[in-house]
Amino acid sequence: MRQTQKVLTLKTKGQGLYEFTPEARAFLRGAHLRLGQLTIFCRHTSASLLIQENADPAVVDDLKTFFAHIAPEGRGLYVHDTEGPDDMPAHIRSALTQTSLTIPFADGELALGTWQGIYLFEHRRPAHHREIVLHALGE
């Protein structure tokens, strides 16, 4: 077994889903591993990771709308609002999703389905630089 790791920095422009499947595939190609697992980890508490459909942009829009309903923003709704009214809702949205993904790969290719993409889900309104750890383990 061999392993390799990289920290990928993604720049966001505020709330939304940011696909980074091509960057994950490029990392895996550079690892020269044929069979194993890719672990992807988000190093933040107000952003998360999703594997989601990447064919129809309406999916992304509907996800943003849904999460806005289940974790609304607003002063006075939460005790924790140190960084503004989007602070605690961002933590709730992150708690309801994932901060780590494990994706198998074979023949050096991610075993994603036809319409699946890997996304960073930014839950904060301001732009951020988000660190994503990519770790491949395999042979």
Side-chain angles (χ1 to χ4, degrees), residues 3-57:
Q3 56 186 325
T4 186
Q5 185 171 296
K6 173 184 179 173
V7 176
L8 176 66
T9 301
L10 299 176
K11 296 177 185 176
T12 70
K13 296 176 182 175
Q15 289 178 339
L17 283 88
Y18 298 85
E19 186 175 6
F20 65 99
T21 312
E23 291 87 343
R25 285 191 168 122
F27 165 74
L28 191 55
R29 276 192 302 276
H32 305 291
L33 298 171
R34 294 187 38 77
L35 181 68
Q37 292 184 332
L38 175 65
T39 300
I40 305 172
F41 178 72
C42 178
R43 298 176 67 176
H44 304 278
T45 59
S46 57
S48 57
L49 300 170
L50 294 177
I51 293 177
Q52 198 46 256
E53 179 179 331
N54 63 358
D56 184 353

